[in-house]
Amino acid sequence: MILFHLFDGKVQRYSDLERLIPGISQKMLAQQLRALEADGIVLRTVYQQVPPKVEYRLSAWGQALCPALDALLLWQEQKPAAGEPSA
């Protein structure tokens, strides 16, 4: 979900991601963002101001995932409704 909200060069603040992903706890969001940052998929920018401002965006490596994630979205949209036979 985090990656989808950072598609197309979008920059999101932590609080924006928290609001955009219903039901995610602060702990889980922080853990996932740290893992994505450690993997080089997400870039974190900290602005030294009061209150602190932190923004997240996809790295070039993360942007390379976009075609694969687009394919997953297309695949999900083709899912048959419950009770329908699959093709």
Side-chain angles (χ1 to χ4, degrees):
M1 291 295 296
I2 294 170
L3 297 178
F4 287 110
H5 291 297
L6 296 176
F7 257 18
D8 298 326
K10 290 181 186 166
V11 177
Q12 300 284 357
R13 294 180 68 176
Y14 180 91
S15 59
D16 296 332
L17 289 168
E18 192 175 23
R19 188 178 59 257
L20 289 167
I21 304 171
I24 194 165
S25 68
Q26 289 183 348
K27 179 182 177 184
M28 183 56 65
L29 180 57
Q31 286 176 346
Q32 292 297 306
L33 286 168
R34 277 195 297 271
L36 290 167
E37 185 182 6
D39 291 338
I41 297 170
V42 168
L43 298 174
R44 178 178 186 255
T45 305
V46 179
Y47 297 93
Q48 298 301 322
Q49 63 184 47
V50 177
K53 179 180 174 184
V54 180
E55 294 179 337
Y56 296 90
R57 64 183 173 88
L58 290 179
S59 66
W61 177 243
Q63 287 285 18
L65 283 172
C66 288
L69 293 175
D70 281 336
L72 280 174
L73 282 173
L74 181 61
W75 171 78
Q76 189 275 332
E77 289 171 359
Q78 296 172 357
K79 179 182 176 187
E84 284 185 25
S86 57

Coordinates of all heavy atoms in Angstrom, one line a residue:
M1 N 0.8 -1.2 0.0 CA 0.0 0.0 0.0 C 0.9 1.3 0.0 O 0.5 2.2 -0.7 CB -0.9 0.0 1.2 CG -2.0 -1.0 1.2 SD -3.2 -0.8 -0.1 CE -4.0 0.7 0.4
I2 N 1.9 1.2 0.7 CA 2.8 2.4 0.8 C 3.3 2.7 -0.6 O 3.3 3.9 -1.0 CB 4.0 2.2 1.8 CG1 3.5 2.0 3.2 CG2 5.0 3.3 1.7 CD1 4.5 1.5 4.2
L3 N 3.8 1.7 -1.3 CA 4.3 2.0 -2.7 C 3.3 2.6 -3.6 O 3.6 3.5 -4.4 CB 4.9 0.7 -3.2 CG 6.0 0.0 -2.4 CD1 6.5 -1.3 -3.1 CD2 7.2 1.0 -2.4
F4 N 2.1 2.1 -3.5 CA 1.0 2.6 -4.4 C 0.8 4.1 -4.1 O 0.5 4.9 -5.0 CB -0.3 1.9 -4.2 CG -0.2 0.5 -4.8 CD1 -0.2 -0.6 -4.1 CD2 -0.2 0.4 -6.2 CE1 -0.2 -1.9 -4.6 CE2 -0.2 -0.9 -6.8 CZ -0.2 -2.0 -6.0
H5 N 1.0 4.5 -2.9 CA 0.8 5.9 -2.5 C 2.0 6.8 -2.9 O 1.9 8.0 -2.8 CB 0.4 6.1 -1.1 CG -1.0 5.6 -0.7 ND1 -2.1 6.1 -1.3 CD2 -1.4 4.5 0.0 CE1 -3.2 5.4 -0.9 NE2 -2.8 4.5 -0.1
L6 N 3.1 6.2 -3.3 CA 4.3 6.9 -3.7 C 4.5 6.9 -5.2 O 5.5 7.3 -5.6 CB 5.5 6.4 -2.9 CG 5.4 6.6 -1.4 CD1 6.6 5.9 -0.7 CD2 5.3 8.1 -1.0
F7 N 3.6 6.3 -5.9 CA 3.7 6.1 -7.4 C 3.8 7.5 -8.0 O 3.4 8.5 -7.5 CB 2.4 5.5 -7.9 CG 2.5 4.0 -8.3 CD1 3.6 3.3 -7.8 CD2 1.6 3.5 -9.1 CE1 3.7 1.9 -8.1 CE2 1.7 2.1 -9.4 CZ 2.7 1.4 -8.9
D8 N 4.4 7.5 -9.2 CA 4.5 8.6 -10.1 C 5.2 9.8 -9.4 O 4.8 11.0 -9.7 CB 3.1 9.1 -10.6 CG 2.4 8.0 -11.4 OD1 3.1 7.3 -12.1 OD2 1.2 7.8 -11.3
G9 N 6.2 9.5 -8.6 CA 7.0 10.6 -8.0 C 6.3 11.3 -6.9 O 6.8 12.4 -6.5
K10 N 5.2 10.8 -6.4 CA 4.5 11.5 -5.3 C 5.4 11.5 -4.1 O 6.1 10.6 -3.8 CB 3.2 10.8 -5.0 CG 2.1 10.9 -6.1 CD 0.9 10.2 -5.7 CE -0.1 10.2 -6.8 NZ -1.2 9.3 -6.5
V11 N 5.3 12.6 -3.4 CA 6.0 12.8 -2.1 C 4.9 12.8 -1.0 O 3.9 13.6 -1.2 CB 6.8 14.0 -2.1 CG1 7.5 14.3 -0.8 CG2 7.9 14.0 -3.2
Q12 N 5.1 12.0 0.0 CA 4.1 12.0 1.1 C 4.8 12.2 2.4 O 5.9 11.6 2.6 CB 3.3 10.6 1.1 CG 2.6 10.3 -0.2 CD 1.3 11.0 -0.3 OE1 0.9 11.8 0.6 NE2 0.6 10.8 -1.4
R13 N 4.1 12.8 3.3 CA 4.6 12.9 4.7 C 4.1 11.7 5.4 O 3.1 11.1 5.0 CB 4.1 14.2 5.3 CG 4.7 15.5 4.6 CD 4.2 16.7 5.2 NE 4.7 16.9 6.6 CZ 4.5 17.9 7.3 NH1 3.8 18.9 6.9 NH2 5.0 18.0 8.6
Y14 N 4.7 11.4 6.6 CA 4.3 10.3 7.4 C 2.9 10.4 7.7 O 2.1 9.4 7.6 CB 5.2 10.3 8.7 CG 4.9 9.1 9.6 CD1 5.6 7.9 9.4 CD2 3.9 9.2 10.6 CE1 5.3 6.8 10.3 CE2 3.6 8.2 11.4 CZ 4.3 7.0 11.2 OH 4.0 5.9 12.0
S15 N 2.4 11.5 8.2 CA 1.0 11.7 8.6 C 0.0 11.4 7.4 O -1.1 10.9 7.6 CB 0.7 13.0 9.2 OG 1.1 14.1 8.3
D16 N 0.5 11.8 6.2 CA -0.4 11.6 5.0 C -0.5 10.1 4.8 O -1.6 9.6 4.5 CB 0.2 12.3 3.8 CG 0.3 13.8 3.9 OD1 -0.6 14.3 4.6 OD2 1.2 14.4 3.3
L17 N 0.6 9.4 4.8 CA 0.6 7.9 4.6 C -0.3 7.2 5.7 O -1.1 6.3 5.4 CB 2.0 7.3 4.6 CG 2.9 7.7 3.4 CD1 4.3 7.3 3.7 CD2 2.3 7.0 2.2
E18 N -0.2 7.7 6.9 CA -1.0 7.2 8.0 C -2.5 7.3 7.7 O -3.3 6.4 7.9 CB -0.6 7.8 9.3 CG -1.1 7.2 10.5 CD -0.6 7.9 11.8 OE1 -0.2 9.1 11.7 OE2 -0.6 7.2 12.8
R19 N -2.8 8.5 7.2 CA -4.2 8.8 6.9 C -4.7 8.0 5.6 O -5.8 7.5 5.6 CB -4.4 10.3 6.6 CG -5.8 10.7 6.5 CD -6.0 12.2 6.3 NE -5.3 12.8 5.2 CZ -4.1 13.4 5.2 NH1 -3.5 13.7 6.3 NH2 -3.5 13.8 4.1
L20 N -3.8 7.8 4.7 CA -4.2 7.1 3.4 C -4.3 5.6 3.5 O -4.9 5.0 2.7 CB -3.1 7.5 2.3 CG -3.1 8.9 1.8 CD1 -1.9 9.2 1.0 CD2 -4.4 9.1 1.0
I21 N -3.7 5.0 4.6 CA -3.7 3.6 4.8 C -4.5 3.3 6.0 O -4.0 3.2 7.1 CB -2.3 3.0 4.9 CG1 -1.5 3.5 3.7 CG2 -2.3 1.5 5.0 CD1 0.0 3.1 3.8
P22 N -5.8 3.0 5.8 CA -6.7 2.8 6.9 C -6.3 1.5 7.7 O -5.9 0.5 7.1 CB -8.1 2.6 6.3 CG -7.9 2.7 4.9 CD -6.5 2.9 4.5
G23 N -6.4 1.7 9.0 CA -6.1 0.5 9.9 C -4.6 0.2 10.2 O -4.3 -0.7 11.0
I24 N -3.7 1.0 9.6 CA -2.3 0.7 9.9 C -1.9 1.4 11.2 O -2.3 2.5 11.4 CB -1.4 1.1 8.7 CG1 0.0 0.5 8.9 CG2 -1.3 2.6 8.6 CD1 0.9 0.6 7.6
S25 N -1.2 0.7 12.0 CA -0.7 1.3 13.2 C 0.5 2.1 13.0 O 1.2 1.9 12.0 CB -0.4 0.2 14.3 OG 0.8 -0.5 13.9
Q26 N 0.8 3.0 13.9 CA 2.0 3.9 13.7 C 3.3 3.0 13.7 O 4.2 3.2 12.9 CB 2.1 4.9 14.8 CG 1.1 6.0 14.7 CD 1.2 7.1 15.8 OE1 1.9 6.9 16.7 NE2 0.5 8.2 15.6
K27 N 3.3 2.0 14.6 CA 4.4 1.1 14.7 C 4.7 0.3 13.4 O 5.8 0.3 12.9 CB 4.2 0.1 15.8 CG 5.3 -0.9 16.0 CD 5.0 -1.9 17.1 CE 6.1 -2.9 17.2 NZ 5.9 -4.0 18.2
M28 N 3.6 -0.2 12.8 CA 3.7 -1.0 11.5 C 4.1 -0.1 10.4 O 5.0 -0.4 9.6 CB 2.4 -1.7 11.2 CG 2.5 -2.5 10.0 SD 3.8 -3.8 10.0 CE 3.3 -4.8 11.3
L29 N 3.6 1.1 10.3 CA 4.0 2.1 9.2 C 5.4 2.4 9.4 O 6.2 2.4 8.4 CB 3.1 3.3 9.3 CG 3.4 4.4 8.2 CD1 3.3 3.8 6.8 CD2 2.5 5.6 8.4
A30 N 5.9 2.7 10.6 CA 7.3 3.1 10.8 C 8.2 1.9 10.4 O 9.2 2.1 9.8 CB 7.5 3.5 12.2
Q31 N 7.8 0.7 10.8 CA 8.6 -0.5 10.5 C 8.7 -0.7 9.0 O 9.8 -1.0 8.4 CB 8.1 -1.7 11.1 CG 8.3 -1.8 12.6 CD 7.6 -3.0 13.2 OE1 6.7 -3.7 12.6 NE2 8.0 -3.3 14.5
Q32 N 7.6 -0.6 8.3 CA 7.6 -0.8 6.9 C 8.4 0.3 6.1 O 9.1 0.0 5.2 CB 6.1 -0.8 6.3 CG 5.3 -2.0 6.8 CD 5.9 -3.3 6.3 OE1 6.1 -3.5 5.1 NE2 6.2 -4.2 7.2
L33 N 8.2 1.5 6.5 CA 9.0 2.6 5.9 C 10.5 2.4 6.1 O 11.3 2.6 5.2 CB 8.6 4.0 6.4 CG 7.2 4.5 5.9 CD1 6.7 5.7 6.7 CD2 7.3 4.8 4.4
R34 N 10.9 2.0 7.4 CA 12.3 1.8 7.6 C 12.8 0.6 6.8 O 14.0 0.7 6.2 CB 12.5 1.4 9.1 CG 12.6 2.7 10.0 CD 13.2 2.3 11.4 NE 12.4 1.4 12.1 CZ 11.4 1.8 12.9 NH1 11.1 3.1 13.1 NH2 10.7 0.9 13.6
A35 N 12.1 -0.4 6.6 CA 12.5 -1.6 5.8 C 12.6 -1.2 4.3 O 13.6 -1.5 3.6 CB 11.5 -2.7 5.9
L36 N 11.6 -0.4 3.8 CA 11.7 0.1 2.4 C 12.9 1.0 2.2 O 13.5 1.0 1.2 CB 10.4 0.8 2.0 CG 9.2 -0.2 1.9 CD1 7.9 0.7 1.8 CD2 9.3 -1.1 0.7
E37 N 13.2 1.8 3.2 CA 14.4 2.7 3.1 C 15.6 1.9 3.1 O 16.6 2.1 2.3 CB 14.3 3.7 4.3 CG 15.4 4.7 4.2 CD 15.4 5.7 5.4 OE1 14.6 5.6 6.3 OE2 16.2 6.7 5.3
A38 N 15.7 0.9 4.0 CA 16.9 0.1 4.1 C 17.2 -0.7 2.8 O 18.3 -1.0 2.4 CB 16.8 -0.9 5.3
D39 N 16.1 -1.1 2.1 CA 16.2 -1.8 0.9 C 16.5 -0.9 -0.3 O 16.6 -1.3 -1.4 CB 14.9 -2.6 0.6 CG 14.7 -3.8 1.5 OD1 15.8 -4.2 2.1 OD2 13.6 -4.2 1.7
G40 N 16.5 0.4 -0.1 CA 16.8 1.4 -1.1 C 15.6 1.7 -2.0 O 15.8 2.3 -3.1
I41 N 14.4 1.3 -1.6 CA 13.2 1.5 -2.4 C 12.6 2.9 -2.2 O 12.0 3.5 -3.1 CB 12.2 0.4 -2.2 CG1 12.8 -1.0 -2.6 CG2 10.9 0.6 -2.9 CD1 12.0 -2.2 -2.2
V42 N 12.7 3.3 -0.9 CA 12.1 4.6 -0.5 C 13.2 5.5 0.0 O 14.1 5.1 0.7 CB 11.0 4.4 0.6 CG1 10.6 5.7 1.2 CG2 9.8 3.6 0.0
L43 N 13.1 6.8 -0.3 CA 14.0 7.8 0.2 C 13.3 8.6 1.2 O 12.1 9.0 1.0 CB 14.4 8.7 -1.0 CG 15.2 8.1 -2.1 CD1 15.5 9.1 -3.2 CD2 16.5 7.5 -1.5
R44 N 14.0 8.9 2.3 CA 13.4 9.7 3.4 C 14.2 11.0 3.5 O 15.4 11.0 3.5 CB 13.6 8.9 4.7 CG 13.1 9.6 5.9 CD 13.3 8.6 7.1 NE 12.8 9.1 8.3 CZ 13.5 9.6 9.3 NH1 14.8 9.7 9.2 NH2 12.9 10.1 10.4
T45 N 13.4 12.1 3.5 CA 14.0 13.4 3.6 C 13.5 14.1 4.9 O 12.3 14.2 5.1 CB 13.6 14.3 2.4 OG1 14.0 13.6 1.2 CG2 14.3 15.7 2.5
V46 N 14.5 14.5 5.7 CA 14.1 15.2 7.0 C 14.5 16.6 6.9 O 15.6 17.0 6.5 CB 14.9 14.5 8.2 CG1 14.6 15.2 9.5 CG2 14.7 13.0 8.3
Y47 N 13.5 17.5 7.2 CA 13.7 18.9 7.2 C 13.9 19.4 8.6 O 13.0 19.1 9.4 CB 12.5 19.6 6.5 CG 12.4 19.2 5.1 CD1 11.5 18.2 4.7 CD2 13.1 19.9 4.1 CE1 11.4 17.8 3.4 CE2 12.9 19.5 2.7 CZ 12.1 18.5 2.4 OH 11.9 18.2 1.1
Q48 N 15.0 20.1 8.9 CA 15.2 20.6 10.2 C 14.4 21.8 10.5 O 14.9 22.9 10.2 CB 16.7 20.8 10.4 CG 17.6 19.6 10.2 CD 17.3 18.5 11.2 OE1 17.0 18.7 12.4 NE2 17.3 17.2 10.7
Q49 N 13.3 21.6 11.0 CA 12.4 22.7 11.3 C 11.5 22.3 12.5 O 11.5 21.2 12.9 CB 11.5 23.1 10.1 CG 10.5 22.0 9.7 CD 9.8 22.3 8.5 OE1 10.3 22.8 7.5 NE2 8.5 22.1 8.5
V50 N 10.8 23.2 13.0 CA 9.9 22.9 14.2 C 8.5 23.3 13.7 O 8.2 24.4 13.3 CB 10.3 23.8 15.4 CG1 9.3 23.5 16.5 CG2 11.7 23.4 15.8
P51 N 7.6 22.3 13.7 CA 7.8 20.9 14.0 C 8.5 20.2 12.9 O 8.5 20.7 11.8 CB 6.3 20.3 14.2 CG 5.5 21.2 13.3 CD 6.2 22.6 13.4
P52 N 9.2 19.1 13.2 CA 10.0 18.3 12.2 C 9.1 17.9 11.1 O 7.9 17.6 11.2 CB 10.5 17.1 13.0 CG 10.3 17.4 14.4 CD 9.2 18.4 14.5
K53 N 9.7 17.9 9.9 CA 9.0 17.5 8.7 C 9.8 16.4 8.0 O 11.0 16.6 7.8 CB 8.8 18.7 7.7 CG 8.1 18.4 6.4 CD 8.1 19.7 5.6 CE 7.5 19.4 4.2 NZ 7.5 20.7 3.4
V54 N 9.1 15.3 7.8 CA 9.7 14.2 7.1 C 8.9 13.8 5.9 O 7.7 13.6 6.0 CB 9.9 13.0 8.1 CG1 10.5 11.8 7.4 CG2 10.7 13.4 9.3
E55 N 9.5 13.6 4.8 CA 8.9 13.2 3.5 C 9.4 12.0 3.0 O 10.6 11.7 3.2 CB 9.0 14.3 2.5 CG 8.2 15.6 2.8 CD 8.4 16.7 1.8 OE1 9.3 16.7 1.0 OE2 7.5 17.6 1.8
Y56 N 8.6 11.2 2.3 CA 9.0 9.9 1.7 C 8.7 10.0 0.2 O 7.6 10.5 -0.2 CB 8.3 8.8 2.4 CG 8.6 8.6 3.8 CD1 7.9 9.3 4.8 CD2 9.7 7.8 4.2 CE1 8.2 9.1 6.1 CE2 10.0 7.7 5.5 CZ 9.3 8.3 6.5 OH 9.6 8.2 7.8
R57 N 9.5 9.4 -0.6 CA 9.3 9.2 -2.0 C 10.0 8.0 -2.5 O 10.9 7.5 -1.8 CB 9.7 10.5 -2.8 CG 11.2 10.7 -2.7 CD 11.5 12.0 -3.5 NE 12.9 12.4 -3.3 CZ 13.9 12.0 -4.1 NH1 13.7 11.2 -5.1 NH2 15.2 12.3 -3.8
L58 N 9.6 7.5 -3.7 CA 10.3 6.4 -4.2 C 11.7 6.8 -4.8 O 11.8 7.8 -5.4 CB 9.5 5.7 -5.4 CG 8.2 5.0 -5.0 CD1 7.5 4.5 -6.3 CD2 8.5 3.9 -4.0
S59 N 12.7 5.9 -4.6 CA 14.0 6.1 -5.2 C 13.9 5.7 -6.7 O 12.8 5.2 -7.1 CB 15.0 5.3 -4.5 OG 14.7 3.9 -4.7
A60 N 14.9 5.9 -7.4 CA 14.9 5.4 -8.8 C 14.7 3.9 -8.8 O 14.0 3.4 -9.7 CB 16.3 5.8 -9.5
W61 N 15.3 3.2 -7.9 CA 15.2 1.8 -7.8 C 13.7 1.4 -7.5 O 13.1 0.5 -8.0 CB 16.1 1.2 -6.7 CG 16.0 -0.2 -6.3 CD1 15.6 -0.8 -5.2 CD2 16.3 -1.3 -7.2 NE1 15.6 -2.1 -5.2 CE2 16.1 -2.5 -6.5 CE3 16.7 -1.4 -8.5 CZ2 16.3 -3.8 -7.0 CZ3 16.9 -2.7 -9.0 CH2 16.7 -3.8 -8.3
G62 N 13.1 2.2 -6.6 CA 11.7 2.0 -6.3 C 10.8 2.3 -7.5 O 9.8 1.6 -7.7
Q63 N 11.1 3.3 -8.2 CA 10.3 3.7 -9.4 C 10.4 2.5 -10.4 O 9.4 2.3 -11.2 CB 10.8 5.0 -10.1 CG 10.5 6.2 -9.3 CD 9.0 6.6 -9.4 OE1 8.2 5.9 -9.8 NE2 8.8 7.9 -9.1
A64 N 11.5 1.8 -10.5 CA 11.6 0.6 -11.4 C 10.5 -0.4 -11.1 O 10.2 -1.3 -11.9 CB 13.0 0.1 -11.3
L65 N 10.0 -0.4 -9.9 CA 8.9 -1.4 -9.5 C 7.6 -1.0 -10.1 O 6.6 -1.8 -10.1 CB 8.8 -1.4 -8.0 CG 9.8 -2.2 -7.2 CD1 9.6 -2.0 -5.7 CD2 9.7 -3.7 -7.5
C66 N 7.4 0.2 -10.5 CA 6.1 0.7 -11.0 C 5.4 -0.2 -12.0 O 4.3 -0.5 -11.9 CB 6.2 2.1 -11.4 SG 6.4 3.3 -10.0
P67 N 6.1 -0.6 -13.1 CA 5.5 -1.5 -14.1 C 5.0 -2.8 -13.5 O 3.9 -3.3 -13.8 CB 6.6 -1.8 -15.1 CG 7.5 -0.6 -15.0 CD 7.5 -0.2 -13.5
A68 N 5.7 -3.4 -12.5 CA 5.3 -4.6 -11.9 C 4.1 -4.4 -11.0 O 3.1 -5.2 -11.0 CB 6.4 -5.2 -11.0
L69 N 4.0 -3.3 -10.3 CA 2.9 -2.9 -9.5 C 1.7 -2.6 -10.3 O 0.5 -3.0 -10.0 CB 3.2 -1.8 -8.5 CG 4.3 -2.2 -7.4 CD1 4.6 -0.9 -6.6 CD2 3.8 -3.3 -6.6
D70 N 1.9 -2.0 -11.5 CA 0.8 -1.7 -12.4 C 0.2 -3.0 -12.9 O -1.0 -3.1 -13.0 CB 1.3 -0.8 -13.6 CG 1.4 0.6 -13.3 OD1 0.7 1.1 -12.3 OD2 2.2 1.3 -14.0
A71 N 1.1 -4.0 -13.2 CA 0.6 -5.3 -13.6 C -0.2 -6.0 -12.5 O -1.2 -6.6 -12.8 CB 1.8 -6.1 -14.1
L72 N 0.2 -5.8 -11.3 CA -0.6 -6.4 -10.2 C -2.0 -5.7 -10.1 O -3.0 -6.4 -9.8 CB 0.2 -6.2 -8.9 CG 1.3 -7.2 -8.6 CD1 2.0 -6.8 -7.3 CD2 0.7 -8.6 -8.5
L73 N -2.0 -4.4 -10.3 CA -3.3 -3.7 -10.2 C -4.2 -4.3 -11.3 O -5.4 -4.5 -11.1 CB -3.1 -2.2 -10.4 CG -2.7 -1.5 -9.1 CD1 -2.4 0.0 -9.5 CD2 -3.7 -1.5 -8.0
L74 N -3.7 -4.4 -12.5 CA -4.5 -4.9 -13.6 C -5.0 -6.3 -13.4 O -6.1 -6.7 -13.6 CB -3.6 -4.9 -14.9 CG -4.3 -5.3 -16.2 CD1 -5.5 -4.5 -16.5 CD2 -3.4 -5.3 -17.4
W75 N -4.1 -7.1 -12.8 CA -4.4 -8.5 -12.5 C -5.6 -8.5 -11.5 O -6.5 -9.3 -11.6 CB -3.2 -9.2 -11.9 CG -3.5 -10.6 -11.4 CD1 -3.7 -11.7 -12.0 CD2 -3.6 -10.9 -10.0 NE1 -3.9 -12.8 -11.1 CE2 -3.8 -12.3 -9.9 CE3 -3.4 -10.1 -8.8 CZ2 -4.0 -12.9 -8.6 CZ3 -3.6 -10.8 -7.6 CH2 -3.8 -12.2 -7.5
Q76 N -5.5 -7.7 -10.4 CA -6.5 -7.6 -9.4 C -7.8 -7.2 -9.9 O -8.9 -7.7 -9.5 CB -6.0 -6.7 -8.3 CG -6.9 -6.8 -7.0 CD -8.1 -5.8 -7.1 OE1 -8.0 -4.8 -7.8 NE2 -9.1 -6.2 -6.4
E77 N -7.8 -6.3 -10.9 CA -9.1 -5.8 -11.5 C -9.8 -6.9 -12.3 O -11.0 -6.8 -12.5 CB -8.8 -4.6 -12.4 CG -8.4 -3.3 -11.6 CD -7.9 -2.2 -12.5 OE1 -7.8 -2.4 -13.7 OE2 -7.5 -1.2 -11.9
Q78 N -9.0 -7.9 -12.7 CA -9.6 -8.9 -13.5 C -10.1 -10.1 -12.7 O -10.7 -11.1 -13.2 CB -8.6 -9.5 -14.5 CG -8.2 -8.4 -15.5 CD -7.0 -8.9 -16.4 OE1 -6.5 -10.0 -16.2 NE2 -6.6 -8.1 -17.3
K79 N -10.0 -10.0 -11.4 CA -10.5 -11.0 -10.5 C -12.0 -11.2 -10.6 O -12.7 -10.3 -10.5 CB -10.1 -10.7 -9.0 CG -10.6 -11.7 -8.0 CD -10.3 -11.3 -6.6 CE -10.8 -12.3 -5.6 NZ -10.7 -11.8 -4.3
P80 N -12.4 -12.5 -10.8 CA -13.8 -12.8 -10.9 C -14.5 -12.5 -9.5 O -13.9 -12.6 -8.5 CB -13.9 -14.2 -11.2 CG -12.6 -14.8 -11.2 CD -11.6 -13.7 -10.9
A81 N -15.7 -12.1 -9.6 CA -16.5 -11.8 -8.4 C -16.8 -13.1 -7.7 O -16.7 -14.2 -8.3 CB -17.8 -11.1 -8.8
A82 N -17.1 -13.1 -6.4 CA -17.3 -14.3 -5.7 C -18.5 -15.1 -6.3 O -19.5 -14.5 -6.7 CB -17.7 -13.9 -4.2
G83 N -18.3 -16.4 -6.5 CA -19.3 -17.2 -7.1 C -19.2 -17.3 -8.6 O -19.8 -18.2 -9.2
E84 N -18.4 -16.5 -9.3 CA -18.2 -16.5 -10.7 C -17.1 -17.5 -11.0 O -16.1 -17.6 -10.3 CB -17.8 -15.2 -11.3 CG -18.9 -14.2 -11.4 CD -18.4 -12.9 -12.1 OE1 -17.4 -13.0 -12.9 OE2 -18.9 -11.8 -11.9
P85 N -17.3 -18.3 -12.1 CA -16.2 -19.2 -12.5 C -15.0 -18.4 -13.0 O -15.2 -17.4 -13.7 CB -16.9 -20.1 -13.6 CG -18.0 -19.3 -14.1 CD -18.5 -18.4 -13.0
S86 N -13.8 -18.9 -12.7 CA -12.6 -18.2 -13.3 C -12.4 -18.7 -14.7 O -12.8 -19.8 -15.1 CB -11.4 -18.5 -12.4 OG -11.2 -19.9 -12.2
A87 N -11.8 -17.9 -15.5 CA -11.5 -18.2 -16.9 C -10.4 -19.2 -17.0 O -9.6 -19.4 -16.3 CB -11.2 -16.9 -17.6

